[in-house]
Amino acid sequence: MSMRAFVSASLLLLLLRCAQSKYIAYNTTSRVVPGKLNVHLVPHTHDDVGWKKTVDQYYVGSNNTIQGACVQNELDSIVPALLANKDRKFIYAEQAFFQRWWRDQSEQVQNTVKQLVNSGQLEFINGGMCMHDEATTHYIDMIDQTTLGHRFIKEEFGVTPRIGWQIDSFGHSSVQAYLLGAEVGFDSVFFARIDYQDRAKRKAEKTLEVVWRASNSLASSAQIFAGAFPENYGPPNNFHYEVNDDSPIVQDDYNLFDYNVQERVNEFVSAAISQANITRTNHVMWTMGNDFQYQYAHTWFRQLDKFIHYVNQDGRVNALYSTPSIYTDAKHASNDQWPLKTGDFFPYADQINVYWTGYFTSRPALKGYVRMLSGYYLAARQLEFLTGRKKLGPNTDSLAEALAIAQHHDAVTGTERQHVADDYTKRLSAGYTEAKDVVAASLGCMMETPRAASCNSSETKIQQCPLLNISYCPPSEVDLSNGKKLVVVVYNSLGWKRQEVIRVPVVSEDVSVQDSSGREVQSQLLPIMNVTLGIRNYYTLAYLGRSPTVTPKYWLAFTVYVPPLGFNSYIISNAKGKGAAATSERQIMFASERGMNDTVEIGEGNLKLVYSGNDARQVEYINSRSSVKAPLEQSYSFYSGDDGSVDFQASGAYVFRPNVTYPIKYDGKVPLTILRGPLVDEVHQRINSWIYQITRVYKKKEHVEVEFTVGPIPIDDDIGKEVVTQFRTTINNNKTFYTDSNGRDFLKRIRNYREDWDLKVNQPVAGNYYPINLGLYIRDNSTEFSVLVDRPVGGSSIIDGQLELMLHRHHRGVNETLCVIDDCRGLTIMGKHYLRIDPSGEGAKWRRTFGQEIYSPLLLAFTEQGGNDQANSYIPTFSALASSYTLPDNVALITLQELEDRNVLLRLAHLYEIGEDKDLSVMARVELKKLFPDKKMSRIVEHNLSANQEKADMLKRRLVWRVEGPPEEANPVRGGPVDPIELVVELAPMEIRTFVINFGS
């Protein structure tokens, strides 16, 4: 201790000994002091929106035998603690909890909280409904859940959150940085979880805080200041003050034993200097809180008051109540240059052999359900807008909230307890049920009247089939022999025309299909296999509580043509007695079983697959249009999960730690089943007793669809299993592959390599796994091979020429079992992959266009007509766009949502990165007059991504950061202002533009 500090401490001790009163008025008025090391104390709590307990249990504080946590207590406790001292501050993130608490408060308490927000004592941080995951979430879901929270904050408090606070997500994505950071209007983003090797290097080089330039397309126009905490998101050791924490308090009553003011001050100063040694500028931030903290806020604030008082009397450093906004402004005011970070922070390992890459695939059924409802929600909001939102319901609000909560980093990730996963699913199902009524009412109105927006109710009974993937669809499984007709309404939520083959289960082969003008439509019947029927019967009973009353025999497949942002209708009727003409365009499938020495070719269009005679896993991929001819091999295997017996680190819900690889042998005794027809050819393969696969080639498509059924995974051998499929090609990708970031940008990956540090390879498989939301691909100078997915999964290229995807997991921590009465089974997963081989540089068109179609599948609805009804008794087809207008091929409509007061939220997204495609990585233009041809737009204002502030205001306030190194060569391209007369929106590559449009009367 210096002589000055010793004298200061001695004087302080003397004053305390002479004091007669026990009351001490602590001086906590400190602000930033230039020239000193400033320690920004940020009181906070991290409240998981479901994890070990459900979101409701966490809020009310029930089920505390699992975890003692009550968010209601936190918020109740924080308000009086802040009122007790105007210098105190607190930040709060999770709006899913705050909004519940807010609704429970009296007007007096609400007014008090508004005053705390206005004064800056209470700051909303991040501001989404939850702290979403960054690996297994789709960018549209990330935007939606953030918007839901931000608009509430703006409406109730008139403020806009400034800071991203992703402190507990298990790795961090590029999309989070530039899209859910800079484009939202945040000035900085802070987080805790980065790789342990990366963290060590950044500490040594003082690069924990950087300017993160995550988008190649938007570059510096969407960069953001980003900071990784030195350790986790709690305080330094020995500074935790929740009730019953064991950190030593500041005991400043000299009349009591254990007086320790100077000891505590010294430890505070030492910890502050230690952190200052690994960061830049004279500002450090201490995150004073942790999971579900401040349930009795006074235990924290009492100690923080004392520390600020005594540390500042000591004078070596300056301590102050702060927030990340104050800290960010202080960092910016230093005018320093900051290191540049590109790319992302995946994969994440917190120590040797502990790669958090298992959760990329954990609970694949939940992941699939979230993705399916996400696309459904997008379509439902469009229909709600087209026919007019019903404020009193039914509406899409409950589905919006359920989906928002499901993006939490312990929800869609699959890392929650089983009863919590069940709770998320229940909420999603309830939300879907209400949104389904919105869709039915909207489609009914649109079929009955040209002015559907003025339709208050519909007499048309519309049904839907959420279990169509397992062949359960009661509306289509009706007997049509009595003259009834089934009308299939096909809605397209995309802005371009679509031609696709759809399929519905039917009970008879005597059916025919007509389009809305009465013309016969070519169709095809395919048998529903026993494996599908077994799944159908079991899971229908599990999900609905009742068994199917009929058993369909066939899938009826037919081609539909659907206009943009609109629907078309098709009529299925009885074909008996209509003569040969009625069945000329319909072909019943035929099946053939072949010996293993035969060669089989499938595909009637440009694409053909040729199966070799001696191994059903090997095919020749031939595209006559693109002149691609390449071998392709698919196989299945599983990694045995490490049981942790050596170092106590096993594979689990979060962690992927493979031990041994076991190839899954193809059951060659069961021959292939080949189904052929005018629309699609199918190859059915029984891989083994618990894996079944269907490979499809559509006549008018140039990709392969692979539908897999995996499970229940056998566990009799007590070996945890990570089930994967591999696709092998002859492409020489030289360790390089590309994976998407939240379904948006594609990032370059190199096996066993990290751009930011010299990787020490301890886990050559798990350490090379990355999150996949859209797809991944490899390429060389001549060819590229792409695989797209229907839900979040983990994937990689473990050896050159190969792509690998994890499908299902079953071991300790991921042990999903479903019981129907007394029949308990491990979960079976059904999913799809989509494969395509292109000349090098030509695959982006398919990945982007078809990837959007995977996210937004055609929405099918059904209604019946009596035998005497005429086809023209309803409006058979509709498009919301102007006649013959479609959105450009490189633009997607990702949000169309009615708000209030005739306002509508519109988001348009450019689908391509700069340089990704020679034709489509260019400026796109959308004509709003043709997008809304029948509506008068009285006002259109561009907003930030989360629509809580005008974009012009956001850009004025945005902090500009200096970056080390040479300046950027050129200004990033952006779309220009929207002319109020022409109303044309420009979109540069990867740009998303958000507008609030007011439609006058």
Side-chain angles (χ1 to χ4, degrees):
M1 182 185 298
S2 67
M3 179 60 68
R4 177 183 176 186
F6 177 78
V7 171
S8 175
S10 300
L11 287 172
L12 177 64
L13 185 60
L14 180 61
L15 288 170
L16 285 170
R17 289 189 178 198
C18 296
Q20 298 299 313
S21 172
K22 293 183 180 180
Y23 173 75
I24 300 175
Y26 298 111
N27 182 2
T28 57
T29 60
S30 177
R31 301 293 183 264
V32 168
V33 177
K36 273 192 177 182
L37 174 60
N38 291 274
V39 185
H40 294 251
L41 302 180
V42 178
H44 82 104
T45 181
H46 173 60
D47 295 341
D48 290 299
V49 185
W51 176 34
K52 295 180 180 179
K53 305 199 297 189
T54 69
V55 60
D56 286 352
Q57 290 168 346
Y58 273 134
Y59 178 67
V60 300
S62 62
N63 214 358
N64 280 344
T65 55
I66 293 177
Q67 185 180 7
C70 177
V71 175
Q72 201 171 23
N73 284 352
E74 296 171 22
L75 293 168
D76 284 346
S77 179
I78 287 162
V79 172
L82 293 177
L83 291 174
N85 182 344
K86 63 181 177 59
D87 296 321
R88 292 174 177 174
K89 299 185 185 302
F90 194 82
I91 62 171
Y92 196 77
E94 292 82 8
Q95 285 297 303
F97 286 129
F98 182 84
Q99 291 179 22
R100 291 166 185 230
W101 180 83
W102 182 254
R103 290 191 294 265
D104 288 343
Q105 305 311 304
S106 67
E107 184 177 353
Q108 181 181 2
V109 172
Q110 289 185 346
N111 288 334
T112 299
V113 173
K114 287 180 179 180
Q115 292 171 10
L116 292 172
V117 172
N118 291 335
S119 69
Q121 281 191 265
L122 176 62
E123 180 176 322
F124 294 114
I125 199 90
N126 225 28
M129 296 297 285
C130 66
M131 190 178 295
H132 56 226
D133 177 51
E134 299 181 37
T136 63
T137 45
H138 194 277
Y139 75 94
I140 295 178
D141 289 325
M142 297 164 81
I143 294 170
D144 284 342
Q145 83 86 16
T146 303
T147 300
L148 201 59
H150 279 198
R151 288 186 62 81
F152 169 85
I153 295 171
K154 186 61 178 285
E155 289 166 4
E156 291 290 339
F157 298 94
V159 299
T160 57
R162 288 185 54 201
I163 309 297
W165 191 250
Q166 291 291 116
I167 60 175
D168 195 27
S169 299
F170 323 129
H172 306 284
S173 74
S174 295
V175 160
Q176 176 64 38
Y178 85 85
L179 201 58
L180 277 303
E183 295 293 272
V184 161
F186 290 159
D187 285 318
S188 60
V189 59
F190 295 97
F191 42 82
R193 298 189 183 275
I194 64 173
D195 187 278
Y196 71 102
Q197 295 180 48
D198 190 13
R199 190 190 305 275
K201 184 169 184 282
R202 291 183 181 280
K203 282 183 176 182
E205 297 178 351
K206 293 189 175 184
T207 57
L208 284 169
E209 294 175 326
V210 297
V211 170
W212 192 356
R213 188 176 294 167
S215 169
N216 290 330
S217 301
L218 303 179
S220 61
S221 71
Q223 68 189 21
I224 190 169
F225 182 78
F229 301 146
E231 299 301 333
N232 209 310
Y233 49 83
N237 288 337
N238 256 7
F239 292 91
H240 295 74
Y241 293 108
E242 191 69 5
V243 174
N244 295 328
D245 273 342
D246 58 3
S247 295
I249 64 166
V250 179
Q251 206 294 81
D252 59 349
D253 187 342
Y254 186 72
N255 295 314
L256 303 178
F257 289 113
D258 302 322
Y259 177 86
N260 66 352
V261 170
Q262 195 59 51
E263 179 184 335
R264 292 270 62 208
V265 168
N266 289 344
E267 190 167 357
F268 185 103
V269 172
S270 176
I273 293 173
S274 177
Q275 187 167 332
N277 288 335
I278 59 172
T279 190
R280 304 185 184 198
T281 78
N282 61 341
H283 297 274
V284 295
M285 177 165 58
W286 283 14
T287 46
M288 304 305 290
N290 214 299
D291 291 0
F292 299 100
Q293 304 274 279
Y294 290 78
Q295 294 188 65
Y296 179 49
H298 196 55
T299 64
W300 275 98
F301 283 115
R302 177 193 288 128
Q303 302 307 317
L304 295 179
D305 285 352
K306 292 181 180 181
F307 273 118
I308 293 172
H309 178 80
Y310 291 117
V311 165
N312 292 343
Q313 281 190 349
D314 175 85
R316 285 174 288 173
V317 302
N318 178 59
L320 67 152
Y321 277 119
S322 188
T323 69
S325 295
I326 296 172
Y327 178 76
T328 297
D329 288 340
K331 288 285 184 176
H332 183 260
S334 70
N335 202 31
D336 279 25
Q337 291 186 329
W338 299 93
L340 183 66
K341 161 69 181 172
T342 59
D344 64 0
F345 287 93
F346 285 116
Y348 161 61
D350 62 348
Q351 54 185 303
I352 188 171
N353 298 324
V354 187
Y355 276 92
W356 295 45
T357 55
Y359 79 94
F360 299 163
T361 307
S362 294
R363 299 194 189 277
L366 176 62
K367 286 176 163 65
Y369 193 40
V370 170
R371 179 60 52 84
M372 184 270 284
L373 289 182
S374 177
Y376 188 88
Y377 174 53
L378 183 149
R381 280 184 295 174
Q382 292 178 358
L383 290 166
E384 189 173 41
F385 158 73
L386 291 171
T387 56
R389 174 179 167 81
K390 311 296 187 293
K391 188 172 183 179
L392 298 179
N395 55 48
T396 58
D397 290 354
S398 59
L399 180 55
E401 185 167 338
L403 275 169
I405 289 173
Q407 308 311 314
H408 168 58
H409 60 266
D410 278 306
V412 68
T413 55
T415 52
E416 67 275 26
R417 298 276 182 93
Q418 184 60 54
H419 77 285
V420 182
D422 294 341
D423 184 69
Y424 289 130
T425 304
K426 181 171 64 176
R427 293 174 184 278
L428 289 166
S429 178
Y432 166 79
T433 299
E434 185 173 357
K436 175 171 62 70
D437 293 340
V438 173
V439 169
S442 297
L443 287 175
C445 283
M446 294 164 74
M447 294 176 71
E448 291 174 359
T449 172
R451 293 188 57 81
S454 62
C455 173
N456 292 319
S457 62
S458 167
E459 295 181 1
T460 304
K461 183 181 179 183
I462 299 288
Q463 295 179 274
Q464 296 162 71
C465 297
L467 299 182
L468 186 59
N469 67 314
I470 59 171
S471 79
Y472 181 71
C473 185
S476 72
E477 298 166 20
V478 294
D479 182 3
L480 300 175
S481 62
N482 57 4
K484 280 189 176 181
K485 297 177 182 179
L486 178 68
V487 181
V488 183
V489 184
V490 187
Y491 179 74
N492 172 21
S493 59
L494 295 181
W496 57 72
K497 301 173 185 176
R498 293 169 74 172
Q499 173 191 337
E500 291 187 24
V501 174
I502 66 169
R503 58 179 64 204
V504 296
V506 294
V507 295
S508 169
E509 65 185 57
D510 297 317
V511 290
S512 65
V513 184
Q514 293 176 310
D515 65 16
S516 56
S517 63
R519 289 190 298 266
E520 191 79 17
V521 174
Q522 191 176 52
S523 62
Q524 180 179 346
L525 288 169
L526 303 102
I528 299 178
M529 299 298 187
N530 288 336
V531 63
T532 300
L533 291 176
I535 291 172
R536 162 194 167 94
N537 294 336
Y538 182 80
Y539 283 94
T540 299
L541 181 58
Y543 295 152
L544 303 180
R546 61 180 183 273
S547 297
T549 56
V550 298
T551 301
K553 295 181 180 179
Y554 303 103
W555 286 108
L556 172 65
F558 56 96
T559 303
V560 297
Y561 298 83
V562 195
L565 211 66
F567 67 81
N568 208 345
S569 55
Y570 294 82
I571 301 171
I572 302 175
S573 59
N574 188 10
K576 236 175 197 180
K578 292 188 178 181
T583 58
S584 61
E585 292 298 305
R586 177 176 58 86
Q587 178 175 334
I588 299 176
M589 48 55 61
F590 68 86
S592 66
E593 295 184 350
R594 69 178 183 84
M596 292 307 294
N597 294 321
D598 296 335
T599 296
V600 172
E601 179 182 294
I602 65 167
E604 299 298 322
N606 292 333
L607 177 62
K608 291 178 173 54
L609 296 182
V610 180
Y611 285 78
S612 61
N614 57 2
D615 192 342
R617 296 170 297 182
Q618 297 179 351
V619 300
E620 191 79 12
Y621 180 105
I622 303 171
N623 187 321
S624 58
R625 182 197 57 81
S626 63
S627 300
V628 167
K629 184 177 181 180
L632 178 62
E633 178 183 338
Q634 184 191 7
S635 59
Y636 287 87
S637 60
F638 70 83
Y639 298 103
S640 60
D642 194 296
D643 63 4
S645 57
V646 175
D647 58 4
F648 305 104
Q649 182 55 60
S651 256
Y654 300 87
V655 174
F656 173 34
R657 188 177 182 185
N659 204 341
V660 181
T661 307
Y662 295 90
I664 295 174
K665 295 181 179 179
Y666 170 66
D667 191 348
K669 295 179 181 179
V670 180
L672 301 181
T673 297
I674 314 296
L675 308 179
R676 302 183 189 275
L679 304 178
V680 60
D681 289 353
E682 292 188 350
V683 177
H684 291 242
Q685 294 171 268
R686 182 181 183 272
I687 307 300
N688 65 9
S689 61
W690 49 279
I691 300 178
Y692 189 85
Q693 176 174 299
I694 304 172
T695 304
R696 298 188 179 99
V697 177
Y698 293 92
K699 184 176 181 179
K700 295 187 177 181
K701 301 290 184 181
E702 295 186 11
H703 66 264
V704 180
E705 178 180 295
V706 177
E707 181 178 289
F708 57 87
T709 302
V710 178
I713 298 174
I715 56 173
D716 295 342
D717 54 8
D718 292 325
I719 296 176
K721 297 176 178 65
E722 321 270 2
V723 183
V724 299
T725 187
Q726 295 100 354
F727 300 97
R728 187 186 298 259
T729 71
T730 57
I731 293 173
N732 181 18
N733 58 306
N734 191 26
K735 299 184 179 181
T736 302
F737 56 108
Y738 300 82
T739 68
D740 72 273
S741 177
N742 302 111
R744 194 86 179 120
D745 306 66
F746 275 93
L747 276 63
K748 181 179 180 179
R749 313 294 193 184
I750 300 175
R751 193 180 320 121
N752 294 332
Y753 172 80
R754 303 290 189 268
E755 184 179 10
D756 294 336
W757 76 95
D758 293 329
L759 176 68
K760 182 178 180 181
V761 180
N762 299 304
Q763 289 290 324
V765 176
N768 285 298
Y769 253 63
Y770 291 87
I772 312 297
N773 277 277
L774 170 58
L776 71 173
Y777 68 94
I778 54 176
R779 67 185 180 195
D780 58 19
N781 291 333
S782 62
T783 312
E784 61 184 71
F785 172 55
S786 309
V787 181
L788 303 185
V789 298
D790 67 347
R791 72 195 69 196
V793 297
S796 186
S797 175
I798 300 300
I799 62 174
D800 280 356
Q802 182 194 82
L803 289 178
E804 172 175 305
L805 293 167
M806 188 181 293
L807 309 179
H808 202 354
R809 315 180 72 211
H810 194 127
H811 49 72
R812 188 174 71 182
V814 188
N815 185 8
E816 296 181 276
T817 301
L818 186 67
C819 293
V820 179
I821 309 177
D822 295 325
D823 183 4
C824 295
R825 307 178 187 176
L827 210 59
T828 296
I829 298 302
M830 295 181 68
K832 291 181 180 178
H833 294 146
Y834 307 91
L835 325 174
R836 179 156 158 154
I837 303 177
D838 287 286
S840 190
E842 296 183 14
K845 283 187 177 70
W846 176 72
R847 287 192 295 268
R848 292 301 185 181
T849 300
F850 189 68
Q852 206 65 30
E853 292 177 358
I854 295 171
Y855 177 81
S856 290
L858 294 172
L859 190 157
L860 304 186
F862 305 86
T863 187
E864 286 187 10
Q865 275 189 322
N868 296 323
D869 289 346
Q870 298 298 316
N872 60 4
S873 61
Y874 61 91
I875 296 172
T877 186
F878 165 84
S879 175
L881 276 57
S883 177
S884 75
Y885 182 70
T886 66
L887 290 185
D889 292 342
N890 49 7
V891 173
L893 174 65
I894 63 170
T895 307
L896 180 57
Q897 178 181 1
E898 183 175 344
L899 300 175
E900 64 285 317
D901 301 327
R902 299 182 182 273
N903 288 325
V904 171
L905 180 61
L906 170 72
R907 285 193 188 91
L908 297 164
H910 198 299
L911 295 177
Y912 288 76
E913 297 179 65
I914 190 167
E916 186 175 13
D917 184 85
K918 59 184 176 62
D919 300 316
L920 296 172
S921 293
V922 296
M923 188 72 74
R925 290 170 174 82
V926 175
E927 300 179 55
L928 295 183
K929 291 179 181 178
K930 293 183 178 179
L931 187 59
F932 304 106
D934 300 324
K935 295 182 180 293
K936 178 184 176 183
M937 289 171 277
S938 59
R939 187 167 183 261
I940 176 169
V941 180
E942 185 166 9
H943 281 62
N944 67 323
L945 188 70
S946 60
N948 68 346
Q949 56 186 307
E950 294 188 15
K951 188 169 184 179
D953 294 336
M954 180 196 84
L955 293 176
K956 287 178 186 176
R957 289 193 292 261
R958 172 175 282 171
L959 299 180
V960 178
W961 299 88
R962 299 177 65 210
V963 179
E964 290 180 345
E968 195 172 26
E969 292 183 2
N971 291 325
V973 177
R974 290 279 193 161
V978 177
D979 185 279
I981 305 300
E982 297 299 323
L983 294 179
V984 174
V985 176
E986 294 181 332
L987 294 111
M990 277 290 106
E991 191 172 24
I992 297 178
R993 300 187 70 175
T994 303
F995 301 92
V996 174
I997 303 174
N998 183 265
F999 291 102
S1001 56

